[in-house]
Amino acid sequence: MSRNQTAIAYFIFSNLLYQITQAQTNTIQYEIGAGLTSFIYQGDLTPSSIGSFRTMRPGIYIHGSKILGSSFFLRTQLAIGGLRGNDATYDNPEYRQQRNFNFRSPVIELSQQLAWNPLGKNHADKGFSPYVFAGVGISFLKIKRDWSNFNAEYFGALGEDVAARLVVDAAHSVPKIIPVIPVGLGVRYNLSSRWAVNAESAYRVVFTDYLDGFSQAANPDKNDHYHTISAGAIYRIGKKNTLACPVLRY
């Protein structure tokens, strides 16, 4: 056997032995968690590219995770909150208070996410560990839009065009169920073998421009989106080190 083949064989054997040891000494495979979150609308009714923090809405979430190894876990999450956007909360640019579109909607989001812990600390008892995640989900909405305070006279001739576009938007139904792609990053701190706390931020890719109820009368060239900022607690379920095998260190 050549030197390279010996090195490869040793690497494979070492990793296999490590995984067997991990399986024996870390039998906890499931986690549950809950926490608070904030839903931040990002679309036509805010001038900020990072979303409308002035109209963010509170929410809650619960989740259950299956630990797939030292680096990956699969998470199912239910989040409940709301979205809101309002032109009138911004006085720059000035036209927003005259256009005065607004909307609000409750949100119930169910998603499946795969997370990666680059430090391989899914079984750690103490310390910080970052993670990134992505997945798929669906959101249930009940959008209520309002343009009753639109001041067409302020916009002059352009106001007639906006009014005509409002007719198009009014005839377009708003979505009740939308697919979403959550993508985010987070950090957790393991307090013990059972308990951890975490904080994360997640961006939702959304495939509609009617999340706020407006498109043609606002900006039909860009879809709407939303994101969340969350913090909560995690509890590990199961028995640890049931085989009473020592941790192998090398």
Side-chain angles (χ1 to χ4, degrees):
M1 184 179 292
S2 68
R3 181 179 299 178
N4 288 339
Q5 289 174 326
T6 301
I8 293 172
Y10 176 77
F11 176 79
I12 294 174
F13 175 76
S14 299
N15 278 273
L16 179 59
L17 189 60
Y18 175 76
Q19 292 298 328
I20 293 173
T21 304
Q22 287 292 98
Q24 291 177 332
T25 59
N26 295 291
T27 60
I28 292 178
Q29 298 182 20
Y30 298 97
E31 296 179 335
I32 57 174
L36 301 176
T37 187
S38 57
F39 283 73
I40 303 156
Y41 156 75
Q42 188 173 9
D44 302 331
L45 307 190
T46 172
S48 174
S49 59
I50 60 174
S52 181
F53 282 85
R54 297 186 185 183
T55 59
M56 65 181 180
R57 309 300 296 166
I60 58 173
Y61 69 89
I62 57 174
H63 62 77
S65 299
K66 163 71 172 176
I67 300 175
L68 304 177
S70 59
S71 295
F72 291 93
F73 61 89
L74 190 64
R75 178 171 71 181
T76 301
Q77 179 168 286
L78 174 67
I80 301 174
L83 291 169
R84 184 181 177 189
N86 191 345
D87 272 338
T89 60
Y90 300 95
D91 54 14
N92 185 24
E94 182 180 304
Y95 78 84
R96 287 192 176 272
Q97 293 199 346
Q98 303 299 322
R99 190 174 68 175
N100 213 354
F101 295 166
N102 68 85
F103 90 101
R104 67 183 185 274
S105 175
V107 178
I108 300 175
E109 179 192 275
L110 181 64
S111 63
Q112 189 73 48
Q113 305 163 9
L114 178 65
W116 174 52
N117 180 333
L119 301 182
K121 291 186 175 182
N122 281 348
H123 298 294
D125 290 345
K126 294 283 187 178
F128 285 99
S129 59
Y131 58 93
V132 295
F133 59 91
V136 295
I138 54 174
S139 287
F140 300 88
L141 310 168
K142 191 175 182 181
I143 300 169
K144 295 183 179 180
R145 53 189 171 180
D146 181 16
W147 60 88
S148 59
N149 292 318
F150 170 59
N151 183 5
E153 294 182 0
Y154 172 85
F155 295 93
L158 184 61
E160 297 181 3
D161 179 64
V162 175
R165 291 173 179 268
L166 273 174
V167 174
V168 176
D169 284 341
H172 192 289
S173 61
V174 293
K176 296 181 179 180
I177 303 176
I178 59 172
V180 297
I181 298 179
V183 180
L185 53 86
V187 63
R188 64 183 283 163
Y189 182 77
N190 296 314
L191 301 168
S192 68
S193 62
R194 294 292 182 184
W195 287 97
V197 292
N198 74 317
E200 63 183 44
S201 178
Y203 179 80
R204 292 350 183 260
V205 179
V206 178
F207 303 95
T208 180
D209 191 29
Y210 279 96
L211 182 64
D212 52 23
F214 301 95
S215 178
Q216 297 301 313
N219 184 0
D221 297 327
K222 292 184 65 177
N223 285 339
D224 304 320
H225 304 282
Y226 67 93
H227 58 99
T228 54
I229 299 174
S230 311
I234 300 168
Y235 180 73
R236 290 167 169 165
I237 301 174
K239 297 180 180 180
K240 187 168 183 179
N241 199 23
T242 56
L243 299 182
C245 296
V247 177
L248 179 64
R249 302 186 185 276
Y250 57 90

